[in-house]
Amino acid sequence: MAMGKYSRVDGRRSSNYCSTIAIVVFVGVCLVGVWMMMSSSIVPIQNSDLVSDDTAHEVQKKIDDNDSTQFDDSSGNFPLDAAKGESNTDNSQDESDTDNSQGGSNIDAQDNQTLPDKGSENTVEENQEATIKESSKDRTENEEEPKIHREQNSGDGEQNAGDGELNAETGETKTEGGETNEAEQGGSEESTDENKSDSNEDEKKSDTNENSVDIALENKADSQNEEEKVEQNQEENVERNQEDNSEQSAGEEHIEIQAKDQASNEVFPAGAQSEILNESNTGNGAWSTQMVESKNEKESLESTISKPNGYGWKLCNVTAGPDYIPCLDNVQAIRRLPSTKHYEHRERHCPDEAPTCLVPLPGGYKRPVQWPTSREKIWFNNVPHPKLAVVKGHQNWVKVTGEYLTFPGGGTQFTHGALHYIDYIEKTLPDIAWGKQSRVILDVGCGVASFGGYIFERDVLAMSFAPKDEHEAQVQFALERGIPAISAVMGTTRLPFPSRVFDIVHCARCRVPWHIEGGKLLLELNRVLRPGGYFVWSATPVYRKVPEDVGIWNAMSELTKKICWDLVAKSKDSLNGIGAAIFRKPTSNECYEKRLQNEPPLCEESDNADAAWNIPLQACMHKVPVLTSERGSRWPEQWPLRVEKAPYWLKSSQVGVYGKDAPEDFTSDYEHWKTVVSSSYLKGMGIKWSSVRNVMDMKAVYGGFAAALKDLKVWVMNVVPINSPDTLPIIFERGLFGIYHDWCESFSTYPRSYDLVHADHLFSDLKKRCELTAVIAEVDRILRPEGMLIVRDNVETVSEVESMAKSLQWEVRLTYSKDKEGLLCVKKTFWRPTETQTIKSAIA
């Protein structure tokens, strides 16, 4: 025995004293035996916990298998054969988790079982040394796990931290989860050397007090190890609980974690889950622990992450700064204009090459306030423009209130609130029937768009627009509030809308000179107004009697008669002290034919009223359709029936966009998007829809995507590209709205306008005409930080967009592919590059 050495050195000890030492040693050995028996009894308890975890995995997998159709399209575009390999992935993960969590405990149990065989020759220090070596071995086996998972995936971070703490406690050395394997191994070797050194020094020690101290330390170490085993199991249970809690709290942020959130009553499909784990290596979530990948793949991933600026992204150095709109802030083009008499300087003047730089964020930018609270207040730092609050503060437009900009709900014409004004209009003319007969409105000169923000409560959509002018950021205020709006002006070209689509055109004190130059601007409203639709004009000429206003009213009265508009109502609101005149567009050509003079003239038969992209304004009128099969010959179905029913003027003889006859094509498209939205977009994307308000469909076709979202408190800007079939009239007919646009140019909106952007088979087409990098830079410009981009396209294009998204440090939430078709969902982050690029055309 080791104690014999100490007794032989001390020749002065009595035999009784030696007997006492022998008894103490015997008692210590007995305590070691008891400790081993207790330690071995702990292992089954730990294993039972792991069995319950495995059972939970099996239950989750069964649920996933039962809900594997989330990403199936109605037409079968995305079959879920991608579920293959899901069971292998899950099993490998379970085995990996079991090995990692059991490794330290099993090793301890094996060491403890060998202690009785070795008897007195094995000290406690030697047992600890063996345990440390086995723990180091486990760490070495796990060393090839990709670094990106440890650094980025929250699930891995917690798992590895737990493993490190487990092994370190066994060796009585505390190891942080973030340390590298080499450092852990080095620490283990140092601990082993120290133990050996201590053992040799103990053999040389001869002092009686030291001998007693060593015996006491052995007994204390026994009790500490026993307590640590119990604490270890408790800590592992706490870690599991913490992981479960973190998974639930992060359900809104990560698609994998959302799948485990029982409160959602939905699970993530097995096939899509498999695709996420295999393809979206940068994603965070509950399934982040995967099979060990090769060293080459690890280096490739680390290279991708370490070079986020692989596409050479730079910040735009422009005079407009965070508010840069490339086609409206082309200073060089504006300076070359021969005249600004017709607001040419407020129209679109796109640079020769679309910029590929990124617009900076304003200082102190925060995630926008959610709807409907955003209608009343927004963060000042998100739109730091107090000028309008100073100029229009007395008119109840907008006010600066601490760190917020607040909107009392008023305006120049409705200082006592927009809702009262909206009810006043309907009381003046009940036939307007907000939300039933009248659904889609064009709000001209909208200001901060309070009218459009509050009329949403009446099931009405208002397309609000105003120029980017001295009324600083009025449209930006509207968009930040969650109200539909675009930056536009009635100048020299037609508005980017088809003819005969708006149920009502509204103008509250808009200072547009409708009556000048032959009524050219009012005739543009006549073009976009539906036959039988109304023009609501609540401007000062309607109710004031000063000479200037009286003159304008007389001129407007004469002009409206010439274009055959009937004045159907005129009244005054005593509360707000304003008045409104309501005109109605004719439903037949009878009035036009009875005019004594052809002023304004009727447009030529060859003039296409639906041509609207960069078409000069003309002072002429288009005839009203007379055939019952023509669009505009009768009023659409009332809302909400009109959103689901194919327009009456779609003919079976027409071939739809997807090859079927037009009515069937329309119905199939609607059913398709209802299935896609309900089974995947609302459940499987990890999108927090309560945070989504402003939505854009970059290629809308029939507007099926927007129609499928009609029950949510969102609005969708349906964009029909100029090189796509002209289906925008169909979108308006079903009670939705949209706009024409060329995506090789910038959109007429402020940066950070939309919460979600959707692109269905658009980018593969755009690559044929313009640089895709510039298009993605434009998407980055209009998308808010933490906003989502959903892309459906061929696999090659989806892969290209995903690479760009990663280079922008966006978070890849989902990738899915089948039969050469792909689906991608990414989330924009707050990342901005540090280098800048000067856009000379935008420098004042």
Side-chain angles (χ1 to χ4, degrees):
M1 289 179 57
M3 299 309 302
K5 297 178 182 180
Y6 292 99
S7 62
R8 285 196 296 269
V9 173
D10 190 3
R12 295 173 295 177
R13 298 179 187 273
S14 66
S15 59
N16 291 336
Y17 189 79
C18 293
S19 300
T20 301
I21 294 175
I23 292 172
V24 172
V25 171
F26 177 78
V27 171
V29 172
C30 291
L31 289 174
V32 171
V34 173
W35 166 68
M36 289 187 297
M37 294 177 64
M38 293 180 66
S39 298
S40 62
S41 66
I42 294 175
V43 175
I45 297 175
Q46 185 177 8
N47 291 338
S48 66
D49 293 337
L50 292 171
V51 170
S52 65
D53 288 343
D54 293 340
T55 304
H57 279 288
E58 293 175 2
V59 173
Q60 181 67 45
K61 186 178 185 299
K62 291 178 181 178
I63 296 174
D64 292 343
D65 292 341
N66 292 333
D67 192 21
S68 61
T69 60
Q70 270 188 333
F71 286 88
D72 261 339
D73 293 345
S74 59
S75 304
N77 292 342
F78 293 96
L80 286 182
D81 292 340
K84 297 176 183 178
E86 169 64 13
S87 59
N88 295 335
T89 303
D90 290 344
N91 291 340
S92 65
Q93 289 176 342
D94 294 342
E95 292 172 3
S96 177
D97 292 343
T98 304
D99 293 341
N100 290 337
S101 60
Q102 286 182 339
S105 299
N106 291 342
I107 293 170
D108 292 341
Q110 292 174 0
D111 290 343
N112 292 338
Q113 291 172 2
T114 59
L115 281 174
D117 295 336
K118 292 183 180 180
S120 59
E121 294 179 0
N122 276 357
T123 65
V124 175
E125 289 85 351
E126 291 172 342
N127 293 333
Q128 294 173 351
E129 176 183 344
T131 302
I132 294 171
K133 289 181 177 180
E134 291 295 334
S135 302
S136 300
K137 181 180 179 181
D138 286 347
R139 294 193 190 100
T140 304
E141 292 174 351
N142 293 330
E143 185 177 4
E144 291 186 357
E145 182 179 356
K147 183 177 180 181
I148 181 176
H149 291 181
R150 294 199 300 271
E151 293 177 346
Q152 295 188 354
N153 294 352
S154 59
D156 277 347
E158 294 171 356
Q159 180 75 29
N160 294 340
D163 292 345
E165 190 172 0
L166 172 64
N167 294 334
E169 286 181 354
T170 306
E172 292 186 337
T173 58
K174 190 69 174 180
T175 303
E176 297 295 335
E179 294 178 0
T180 62
N181 296 327
E182 293 178 359
E184 291 171 348
Q185 290 177 348
S188 300
E189 292 173 359
E190 291 174 3
S191 177
T192 304
D193 294 337
E194 289 175 1
N195 290 334
K196 290 181 179 180
S197 176
D198 291 342
S199 178
N200 293 334
E201 290 176 2
D202 288 342
E203 291 178 0
K204 296 178 182 180
K205 292 183 184 295
S206 60
D207 185 75
T208 303
N209 293 333
E210 290 179 354
N211 181 33
S212 301
V213 170
D214 288 339
I215 296 173
L217 288 175
E218 285 181 3
N219 295 334
K220 183 176 181 180
D222 292 341
S223 61
Q224 285 180 344
N225 289 336
E226 184 175 335
E227 292 174 358
E228 286 174 356
K229 286 292 181 180
V230 177
E231 291 176 357
Q232 172 183 314
N233 291 324
Q234 293 175 349
E235 289 176 357
E236 289 176 351
N237 292 333
V238 170
E239 288 174 359
R240 293 192 189 100
N241 293 334
Q242 289 176 346
E243 290 175 357
D244 292 341
N245 293 335
S246 65
E247 288 170 355
Q248 293 175 1
S249 63
E252 299 170 352
E253 300 297 333
H254 303 294
I255 182 173
E256 297 92 341
I257 298 178
Q258 185 191 39
K260 283 193 173 183
D261 188 0
Q262 298 301 322
S264 67
N265 296 324
E266 298 293 346
V267 295
F268 202 81
Q273 183 185 104
S274 175
E275 291 297 331
I276 292 172
L277 294 177
N278 290 334
E279 298 185 37
S280 300
N281 294 320
T282 59
N284 298 332
W287 291 282
S288 56
T289 302
Q290 304 178 31
M291 295 183 66
V292 177
E293 299 182 3
S294 67
K295 182 178 180 181
N296 292 337
E297 180 66 10
K298 173 184 173 182
E299 293 175 352
S300 175
L301 290 172
E302 289 178 346
S303 175
T304 301
I305 296 301
S306 63
K307 298 180 180 179
N309 207 15
Y311 280 83
W313 303 112
K314 297 180 180 180
L315 283 180
C316 300
N317 178 23
V318 293
T319 301
D323 300 332
Y324 179 46
I325 306 176
C327 289
L328 298 182
D329 292 317
N330 190 346
V331 179
Q332 287 185 354
I334 293 173
R335 286 173 177 169
R336 292 194 296 265
L337 291 174
S339 172
T340 60
K341 180 181 178 181
H342 297 96
Y343 285 85
E344 295 92 338
H345 57 301
R346 305 299 184 191
E347 294 181 320
R348 291 173 59 85
H349 302 281
C350 298
D352 295 334
E353 293 185 4
T356 58
C357 55
L358 308 181
V359 176
L361 297 177
Y365 181 86
K366 299 179 183 179
R367 184 175 183 174
V369 178
Q370 291 186 14
W371 179 268
T373 306
S374 61
R375 186 171 57 185
E376 281 75 40
K377 65 178 183 179
I378 61 176
W379 295 111
F380 175 81
N381 286 336
N382 286 13
V383 192
H385 300 297
K387 180 180 179 180
L388 198 61
V390 175
V391 176
K392 297 291 185 179
H394 65 288
Q395 295 179 350
N396 233 15
W397 279 30
V398 57
K399 297 180 179 179
V400 178
T401 307
E403 58 183 352
Y404 295 100
L405 287 164
T406 58
F407 303 86
T412 307
Q413 297 300 93
F414 34 89
T415 56
H416 293 279
L419 284 175
H420 169 78
Y421 173 80
I422 291 166
D423 292 337
Y424 154 72
I425 296 296
E426 189 172 28
K427 184 179 179 180
T428 300
L429 185 64
D431 287 346
I432 282 182
W434 297 127
K436 295 175 182 172
Q437 185 77 0
S438 302
R439 165 65 181 175
V440 186
I441 295 177
L442 180 65
D443 187 18
V444 182
C446 62
V448 296
S450 290
F451 174 79
Y454 283 92
I455 205 168
F456 191 81
E457 294 184 5
R458 304 291 191 264
D459 273 340
V460 176
L461 285 177
M463 172 76 77
S464 302
F465 78 91
K468 186 178 183 181
D469 59 7
E470 62 275 0
H471 284 171
E472 191 176 25
Q474 53 186 332
V475 168
Q476 191 175 19
F477 284 140
L479 291 163
E480 186 72 15
R481 298 173 70 187
I483 302 171
I486 59 170
S487 291
V489 65
M490 298 193 70
T492 65
T493 60
R494 288 179 177 177
L495 295 172
F497 311 115
S499 67
R500 309 186 301 274
V501 291
F502 288 101
D503 302 336
I504 292 177
V505 176
H506 172 257
C507 174
R509 201 170 183 170
C510 54
R511 298 183 178 276
V512 179
W514 303 115
H515 59 289
I516 67 173
E517 296 185 344
K520 184 182 293 186
L521 299 182
L522 192 65
L523 290 173
E524 174 62 7
L525 295 188
N526 184 75
R527 183 185 70 86
V528 300
L529 185 61
R530 189 184 302 279
Y534 299 101
F535 174 58
V536 179
W537 190 36
S538 61
T540 56
V542 176
Y543 57 90
R544 285 185 180 176
K545 301 303 180 182
V546 298
E548 181 182 2
D549 288 330
V550 171
I552 294 175
W553 170 255
N554 291 334
M556 276 290 288
S557 297
E558 183 179 355
L559 176 61
T560 53
K561 289 179 181 179
K562 289 181 178 180
I563 65 176
C564 297
W565 284 9
D566 290 332
L567 178 62
V568 294
K570 183 180 180 182
S571 67
K572 188 171 182 178
D573 178 20
S574 57
L575 179 61
N576 286 312
I578 59 98
I582 304 177
F583 300 88
R584 185 172 185 262
K585 180 179 177 178
T587 57
S588 72
N589 294 312
E590 182 179 359
C591 175
Y592 299 150
E593 295 170 352
K594 289 182 178 180
R595 291 186 308 166
L596 298 177
Q597 294 181 343
N598 190 26
E599 293 182 5
L602 292 175
C603 298
E604 299 291 336
E605 292 292 336
S606 60
D607 190 295
N608 183 0
D610 292 328
W613 187 250
N614 295 332
I615 301 298
L617 286 179
Q618 301 177 58
C620 65
M621 295 185 300
H622 296 87
K623 287 185 177 181
V624 173
V626 292
L627 298 178
T628 56
S629 60
E630 288 186 274
R631 176 174 65 87
S633 61
R634 69 173 188 256
W635 202 261
E637 299 283 350
Q638 287 193 350
W639 179 265
L641 182 60
R642 66 192 283 186
V643 76
E644 301 177 351
K645 190 174 180 180
Y648 65 88
W649 41 268
L650 282 183
K651 302 178 181 64
S652 299
S653 59
Q654 294 175 309
V655 178
V657 175
Y658 302 112
K660 302 177 182 178
D661 64 80
E664 184 182 357
D665 218 41
F666 173 93
T667 302
S668 298
D669 178 81
Y670 184 38
E671 294 300 323
H672 164 80
W673 286 112
K674 283 197 299 184
T675 300
V676 170
V677 168
S678 63
S679 65
S680 64
Y681 286 13
L682 296 182
K683 298 177 182 179
M685 293 288 194
I687 299 173
K688 183 182 178 183
W689 284 95
S690 60
S691 299
V692 175
R693 171 63 181 174
N694 304 353
V695 180
M696 174 182 282
D697 192 356
M698 297 179 71
K699 187 181 179 182
V701 190
Y702 297 117
F705 170 65
L709 296 174
K710 65 181 178 64
D711 294 329
L712 300 182
K713 298 298 182 182
V714 302
W715 61 271
V716 181
M717 178 66 76
N718 295 282
V719 181
V720 173
I722 61 171
N723 62 324
S724 296
D726 186 4
T727 54
L728 192 52
I730 300 175
I731 292 172
F732 276 95
E733 189 77 9
R734 64 193 306 186
L736 307 171
F737 61 23
I739 194 171
Y740 295 117
H741 184 61
D742 182 359
W743 281 114
C744 291
E745 302 176 357
S746 73
F747 194 76
S748 294
T749 191
Y750 281 86
R752 305 169 300 279
S753 295
Y754 290 89
D755 302 302
L756 187 148
V757 175
H758 183 260
D760 179 30
H761 290 83
L762 171 68
F763 295 140
S764 56
D765 180 64
L766 286 176
K767 289 194 300 182
K768 304 172 185 177
R769 301 195 302 114
C770 47
E771 185 179 355
L772 190 56
T773 306
V775 178
I776 297 301
E778 175 64 7
V779 173
D780 176 89
R781 190 185 70 85
I782 66 178
L783 189 62
R784 290 172 172 174
E786 298 191 343
M788 309 292 290
L789 169 65
I790 300 175
V791 180
R792 306 173 73 91
D793 220 308
N794 60 56
V795 171
E796 178 185 357
T797 301
V798 167
S799 177
E800 188 175 355
V801 174
E802 182 180 4
S803 297
M804 292 186 187
K806 288 180 179 179
S807 72
L808 289 165
Q809 294 202 28
W810 290 8
E811 179 186 340
V812 179
R813 306 300 300 274
L814 181 145
T815 54
Y816 186 82
S817 61
K818 184 65 178 179
D819 297 334
K820 299 182 180 180
E821 292 294 313
L823 173 65
L824 171 68
C825 180
V826 291
K827 179 180 179 180
K828 179 180 174 180
T829 64
F830 282 82
W831 177 82
R832 297 285 88 177
T834 55
E835 296 184 48
T836 61
Q837 177 184 357
T838 299
I839 307 298
K840 295 181 179 180
S841 63
I843 298 296

